[in-house]
Amino acid sequence: MTSTPTARDLTLAQILERQRLAFLADPQPGAGVRRDRIQRLKQLVLDNAAELTEAMREDYGSRPETFSTLTDIASSIPDLDHQRAHVRKWMRPTRVSRALEAVGFTQQVRHDPKGVVGIIGPWNFPLYLTIVPAGSALGAGNRVMMRPSSVTARTTEVLCRRAPEYFAVDELAVAGPEHGRGSDFSALAFDHLFFTGSPAVGKSVAADAARNLTPVTLELGGKNPVLVDTSADIDRAARSIASARLVNGGQVCMCPDYVFVPRDRLDTFCDTVLDQWRTSLPAIVGNPEYTAIVNDSNYERIVGLVDDAVAKGARRRDAAPAAERLPDPLTRKIAPTLLTGVTPDMEIDSDEVFGPVLTVFGYDTLDDAIRYVTDRPSPLVLYWYGEKNERFEVVADRTRSGSIYGNDFGIGMASSAIPFGGVGNSGMGGYHGHYGFRTFTHERAVALHSFDADVSQLMVPPFTRGKKRLASAYLGAMRARTRLGL
């Protein structure tokens, strides 16, 4: 008896062909099928939680089990539950006008699956940022090919080994190192390609997809600014921002990168940030609860950004325990570091840090801070600390970012009711909840009527006197609407 092949038995092209044929055989899977696929995706995550968290710890060298459980395992489930609960409603055609239907003119919007969806995941949250979009794609009725990051190789190995226990290869397949480079995956003729990662790699992925006219969703990063208003509680703001900078060792696309603080509160803010770091981290090098930088190249890049800034005149202060020598290349740990006096000629002024380093500026007027933000590529998140006042509305109106979060870290991720996504340099498209379903769905217009009239006859010769009168009347009606401001 021949065993059922898994992704490891097939090439990328063969997997794509199997999934495409399977989709063509069942192009409109019912709600029950979709809900079952999402349920199995949940089981894949939850049944293997311990193995996955251990794999993530090994990939990083130091990553707390509690953190991985919270962010990559447990946090993957609510959006899957949201998809599963609502997919039956979302997949129904949308009726446009019952009144028009009553006179024989039907208009509706179908929500059709796109086909085979490719998902390229990142290394910083190797499970959450791969599983959640996969759940949206399955809920939308698609087949899914996933390529987790090669940087977190042990986590990818667990997914490659365990996924076939829950899915046939023509439903959901996980591509591993045996399937080549990321560019081999992004070059496939998917019906939609979803990528999470850096803007630099995102450009390459988009170029690959363009060769096949494959639509893309790009979830990228950027230097996320924080604006601390005069109405903010400076102690609370400083401690919140200090903690936010250390999430996953600062290796989060939503982490605050630089902060603008009223100049007369700059010293108080900086002192409080450092106090928060030192209080929460009495030890770093041997502390298993402090996440390491994921690999040597990223460690060296971050250390180089700080060294370059200091060499060019920036002031550096860090929260290194007195008895420890940091940064430490063996453990790839960098003490939480605060920089002031950063200028445009320093590399850190333009490069996303993606590590435990925070730049702080003082500002005299809010216009100064806004001008700095708008002179740079649009970030994924803009943070605001303070009241939702007129100054907040000015910042929201005059800046561009994927999202605006106020008075806490990443709070928009707690709900499936609002989208998550970037703009400009920080990405295109969004997902979570219904927004994820729509990302992986083709909104297909349907219009038909049962009239005796034939509209096409009005648009071809001969253009009779009656047609001319009709065209003139139509133009006149449009002019009247315009005069009335309708």
Side-chain angles (χ1 to χ4, degrees):
M1 180 180 293
T2 304
S3 61
T4 303
T6 68
R8 284 179 159 165
D9 302 316
L10 304 168
T11 65
L12 288 176
Q14 289 170 333
I15 298 170
L16 179 62
E17 180 65 14
R18 281 175 176 262
Q19 292 207 351
R20 195 172 299 288
L21 290 174
F23 174 76
L24 292 174
D26 184 18
Q28 299 290 339
V33 172
R34 301 182 192 204
R35 284 166 53 84
D36 174 66
R37 288 172 180 166
I38 296 172
Q39 181 67 20
R40 282 184 276 142
L41 188 63
K42 287 174 57 181
Q43 290 173 332
L44 168 61
V45 174
L46 296 175
D47 293 351
N48 301 286
E51 190 174 7
L52 286 163
T53 54
E54 175 59 18
M56 285 183 269
R57 186 196 65 76
E58 293 176 355
D59 280 327
Y60 275 80
S62 177
R63 196 185 202 233
E65 177 185 347
T66 300
F67 177 77
S68 294
T69 298
L70 175 66
T71 59
D72 269 286
I73 305 295
S75 291
S76 298
I77 305 305
D79 199 73
L80 300 185
D81 285 340
H82 191 82
Q83 298 286 337
R84 194 168 181 271
H86 292 87
V87 66
R88 191 182 303 276
K89 177 179 68 176
W90 292 341
M91 62 189 286
R92 296 184 191 128
T94 302
R95 298 172 70 177
V96 175
S97 173
R98 295 178 187 271
L100 288 175
E101 287 180 15
V103 297
F105 187 27
T106 299
Q107 287 181 296
Q108 64 176 211
V109 179
R110 292 171 56 97
H111 307 288
D112 289 351
K114 288 189 172 181
V116 180
V117 170
I119 295 174
I120 303 176
W123 53 260
N124 61 329
F125 291 102
L127 198 67
Y128 176 89
L129 293 174
T130 307
I131 293 296
V132 171
S136 294
L138 292 173
N142 301 283
R143 309 292 170 135
V144 175
M145 292 174 64
M146 301 193 310
R147 189 189 186 280
S149 174
S150 58
V151 174
T152 44
R154 294 170 181 85
T155 307
T156 296
E157 166 59 26
V158 175
L159 289 172
C160 288
R161 183 161 33 84
R162 294 300 187 188
E165 299 173 9
Y166 299 83
F167 291 96
V169 72
D170 62 7
E171 288 181 303
L172 181 145
V174 181
E178 64 272 17
H179 292 107
R181 301 169 300 169
S183 57
D184 297 318
F185 189 90
S186 58
L188 295 172
F190 292 113
D191 298 297
H192 194 100
L193 183 58
F194 187 102
F195 169 81
T196 303
S198 70
V201 180
K203 292 176 183 178
S204 177
V205 168
D208 289 341
R211 295 185 183 95
N212 295 308
L213 292 181
T214 297
V216 295
T217 301
L218 301 177
E219 298 297 340
L220 310 178
K223 293 181 72 65
N224 301 314
V226 185
L227 273 62
V228 179
D229 187 41
T230 53
S231 64
D233 179 327
I234 203 70
D235 183 82
R236 181 189 177 281
R239 295 189 187 281
S240 175
I241 295 164
S243 297
R245 178 70 270 191
L246 296 192
V247 175
N248 202 35
Q251 299 164 106
V252 185
C253 57
M254 296 185 300
C255 272
D257 195 289
Y258 62 93
V259 187
F260 272 95
V261 183
R263 194 172 302 281
D264 61 350
R265 301 185 182 184
L266 178 63
D267 292 340
T268 299
F269 179 88
C270 292
D271 290 343
T272 305
V273 167
L274 289 164
D275 178 70
Q276 177 67 24
W277 285 340
R278 289 166 181 155
T279 300
S280 61
L281 292 167
I284 291 178
V285 173
N287 186 352
E289 295 189 346
Y290 188 74
T291 303
I293 304 304
V294 71
N295 57 22
D296 290 339
S297 61
N298 277 285
Y299 169 86
E300 291 165 3
R301 180 186 59 79
I302 296 165
V303 171
L305 288 174
V306 174
D307 288 346
D308 172 76
V310 172
K312 292 175 180 175
R315 182 187 179 191
R316 167 185 174 166
R317 285 176 281 176
D318 65 39
E324 298 184 12
R325 296 189 64 182
L326 290 163
D328 179 55
L330 294 179
T331 59
R332 298 193 304 277
K333 290 187 176 181
I334 300 169
T337 301
L338 188 148
L339 294 175
T340 53
V342 168
T343 55
D345 62 315
M346 301 173 187
E347 293 176 10
I348 203 166
D349 186 68
S350 56
D351 289 1
E352 182 180 5
V353 179
F354 226 64
V357 182
L358 186 68
T359 297
V360 183
F361 300 100
Y363 72 86
D364 297 309
T365 68
L366 195 58
D367 282 348
D368 296 336
I370 291 172
R371 189 175 305 110
Y372 184 96
V373 172
T374 56
D375 281 348
R376 285 154 177 78
S378 301
L380 184 60
V381 179
L382 183 148
Y383 288 95
W384 170 266
Y385 278 79
E387 298 173 1
K388 192 175 184 293
N389 52 28
E390 291 183 3
R391 291 185 296 278
F392 168 82
E393 299 299 338
V394 168
V395 170
D397 288 345
R398 291 176 55 189
T399 60
R400 234 178 34 137
S401 63
S403 302
I404 302 173
Y405 295 157
N407 299 316
D408 208 340
F409 170 73
I411 53 175
M413 302 292 284
S415 169
S416 294
I418 57 177
F420 177 74
V423 62
N425 194 67
S426 57
M428 63 178 73
Y431 69 120
H432 287 184
H434 196 196
Y435 300 94
F437 178 89
R438 293 183 64 180
T439 286
F440 298 111
T441 300
H442 171 54
E443 296 184 342
R444 188 178 182 190
V446 176
L448 51 91
H449 71 67
S450 56
F451 308 151
D452 290 335
D454 188 341
V455 173
S456 64
Q457 293 298 318
L458 297 174
M459 304 180 185
V460 296
F463 290 101
T464 62
R465 183 176 300 174
K467 291 181 181 180
K468 292 177 181 178
R469 282 201 296 265
L470 181 61
S472 179
Y474 183 50
L475 177 61
M478 294 304 102
R479 285 172 172 161
R481 287 177 59 86
T482 301
R483 285 196 299 272
L484 294 171
L486 300 176

